[in-house]
Amino acid sequence: MTDVTVLGMGAMGRALASSLVAGGQTVTVWNRTPGRSVPGAVVASSVGSAVAASPVVVVCVVDYAAMRSFLSPDDFAGRTVVNLTNGTPAQARDASLAFGSSYVDGGIMAVPPMIGRPGSLVLYSGSSSAFSAVRPVLEVFGEARFLGEDPGRAALYDLALLSGMYGMFGGVYHALALTASEDLDVRPLLKAWLSAMLAVLPDGADKTDSNLAMQAVAYVNLLDASRDQGVRTDLVAPMGDLLARGAAAESGTTLVDLLRQ
Ligand SMILES: NC(=O)c1ccc[n+]([C@@H]2O[C@H](COP(=O)([O-])OP(=O)(O)OC[C@H]3O[C@@H](n4cnc5c(N)ncnc54)[C@H](OP(=O)(O)O)[C@@H]3O)[C@@H](O)[C@H]2O)c1
């Protein structure tokens, strides 16, 4: 027997398993494709023997379809399942129903090199008793933030945070393409600008966004200049549509209101 089993030895599964080993846990690992492991872990030859080896089973594979393809809830009697695979709230709720009262779902807000280091945050939701019992183990990965008994809550927050990240990255890639069109590099200015703007992050859910008409006009310049520079507008055009709709909307309507319609 070992303390923890990790199923999935991709980049993230390996980081999780390595941090457990470094934290003094005994660890069993399994991966669909043999040959992927981490130093100090015991490699199981089958999913069944990996699950049987530990009272806590951490799952981290590409998606829920992959997880459900090799895991049967029947194999988990008496074990706590912590699923750190990225998925939707509906998939998390569905898995919770299938795996029962010892199921905890999670969303990792870190990249593999951050696991076990300051700044790493993992969101959890699902069975609070199961979470409390395994919390000391999970804290090895980083801050362990429990968001409530609804198993879909961690996935919703995870995807909301990823939306913020990808929205920002989309703008960043567009900015890089714009300046690259004249062999310039905007990165130093861009990092400082985005950091400054974080301090005035829009509050849009509960108050009207100001000067939407002005922003909608300026945004047309951004789109026109992009086309002039030979840069595709696919990533940034939808924001212009939203600003225009916001400028035309009834007073008091926020951009978040418009997105929710
Ligand atoms: N890497 C990150 O920056 C990061 C950050 C936060 C969250 N995550 C999440 O963590 C999870 C794992 O990501 P990763 O970075 O480890 O991805 P990865 O390096 O691409 O590894 C994918 C893992 O999924 C396994 N897998 C894929 N299809 C499978 C199937 N049908 N049956 C069994 N196993 C299957 C792979 O096994 P094989 O080796 O056999 O292909 C491998 O272990 C994902 O849900 C991802 O969204 C990743």
Side-chain angles (χ1 to χ4, degrees), residues 7-14 16 30-34 36 60-67 69-70 84-87 107-113 158 162:
L7 304 178
M9 285 288 102
M12 188 53 89
R14 291 200 304 278
L16 298 172
W30 173 86
N31 193 58
R32 174 183 62 172
T33 307
R36 298 177 96 179
C60 190
V61 291
V62 67
D63 60 16
Y64 277 65
M67 176 192 89
S69 75
F70 65 84
L84 299 182
T85 299
N86 183 272
I108 303 173
M109 307 320 302
V111 293
D158 180 353
L162 287 180

Side-chain angles (χ1 to χ4, degrees), residues 146-213:
F146 188 68
L147 299 173
E149 293 258 344
D150 173 357
R153 187 66 57 84
L156 186 65
Y157 271 94
D158 180 353
L159 296 174
L161 293 180
L162 287 180
S163 302
M165 182 193 81
Y166 279 115
M168 182 177 74
F169 281 8
V172 166
Y173 292 129
H174 190 85
L176 293 176
L178 260 184
T179 46
S181 68
E182 298 205 0
D183 286 331
L184 300 169
D185 183 2
V186 75
R187 276 174 296 183
L189 280 173
L190 187 58
K191 283 185 181 175
W193 164 246
L194 290 178
S195 302
M197 289 309 291
L198 280 178
V200 291
L201 198 62
D203 208 352
D206 55 12
K207 72 170 199 233
T208 309
D209 304 84
S210 60
N211 291 320
L212 284 180

